[in-house]
Amino acid sequence: RWDGRIDARIAAVFVEDNIYLGDALTLTPTLRYDHHDRHGGNFSPALNAAWTFAPDWTLRAGVARAYKAPNLYQGNAGYTLYSNGIGCWDFVAGGPGCFLVGNENLEAETSVNKELGLEFESGEYQASLTWFRNDYRDKVEAGRVPVGTVDFTQGSATRVANVFQWSNIPRAVVEGFE
């Protein structure tokens, strides 16, 4: 259910530069400013580096602060989204899915993201391996505990589905290799 109002205005400004320190090293400082009329303003700096230490090899590293305000359906208490399974903590294949309702009390999520990678490129061959780690505060996630249930008709069957509400996770880490 949506009440027809879009009550958030968002603006962003982004500045980036490549600084070449010789033929082998490039630094890329970045600054982004986001303003959201419900969540205020936020600066997100970043610094990335690329060092070509051999003809076919480049080492890359970066650290960045990120900011993300809840989107329309996450932060609007009057909005309900049906899902066939994505975001449903109790999802069972062939089950009824679930409903996700907005939460006007959500905070914007922030994170500090780090990565370190090695890249090989020679002619038509390219390979890379990158480690990354993202440390979140107030990560926006579909709630894990149902806040209710709803009866609905799907095809010719009447089903009962759980209702979850978007919530903030105080701290979360996403880490891995790609």
Side-chain angles (χ1 to χ4, degrees):
R1 188 185 67 162
W2 180 47
D3 64 9
R5 292 179 296 137
I6 297 177
D7 57 359
R9 281 179 236 105
I10 303 168
V13 177
F14 181 82
V15 178
E16 175 180 288
D17 192 19
N18 288 325
I19 301 169
Y20 300 99
L21 302 172
D23 294 333
L25 181 61
T26 304
L27 294 180
T28 307
T30 304
L31 184 60
R32 179 184 172 107
Y33 176 77
D34 291 276
H35 181 79
H36 190 283
D37 69 346
R38 290 177 64 189
H39 299 282
N42 186 79
F43 282 101
S44 300
L47 181 62
N48 292 288
W51 176 44
T52 303
F53 62 90
D56 299 331
W57 293 91
T58 302
L59 181 66
R60 299 185 184 277
V63 62
R65 185 175 188 280
Y67 167 86
K68 181 180 164 204
N71 63 32
L72 175 64
Y73 60 85
Q74 293 168 333
N76 185 336
Y79 193 96
T80 301
L81 170 74
Y82 174 73
S83 173
N84 279 324
I86 296 173
C88 303
W89 286 100
D90 61 348
F91 179 70
V92 176
C98 71
F99 288 87
L100 299 165
V101 295
N103 180 351
E104 63 190 13
N105 297 315
L106 287 176
E107 298 292 329
E109 71 181 35
T110 58
S111 63
V112 175
N113 309 319
K114 298 165 281 293
E115 66 180 35
L116 181 62
L118 184 62
E119 181 180 290
F120 172 81
E121 185 173 355
S122 179
E124 62 186 61
Y125 298 102
Q126 181 179 355
S128 64
L129 179 65
T130 301
W131 165 83
F132 64 91
R133 179 182 169 113
N134 304 329
D135 292 278
Y136 289 90
R137 287 191 177 207
D138 294 321
K139 183 160 179 49
V140 175
E141 181 179 277
R144 295 180 184 220
V145 178
V147 296
T149 59
V150 64
D151 297 339
F152 69 103
T153 302
Q154 190 175 38
S156 61
T158 299
R159 305 186 115 184
V160 178
N162 282 328
V163 177
F164 296 93
Q165 186 175 46
W166 294 98
S167 62
N168 287 113
I169 304 303
R171 292 184 187 270
V173 173
V174 175
E175 182 175 28
F177 288 92
E178 60 181 26

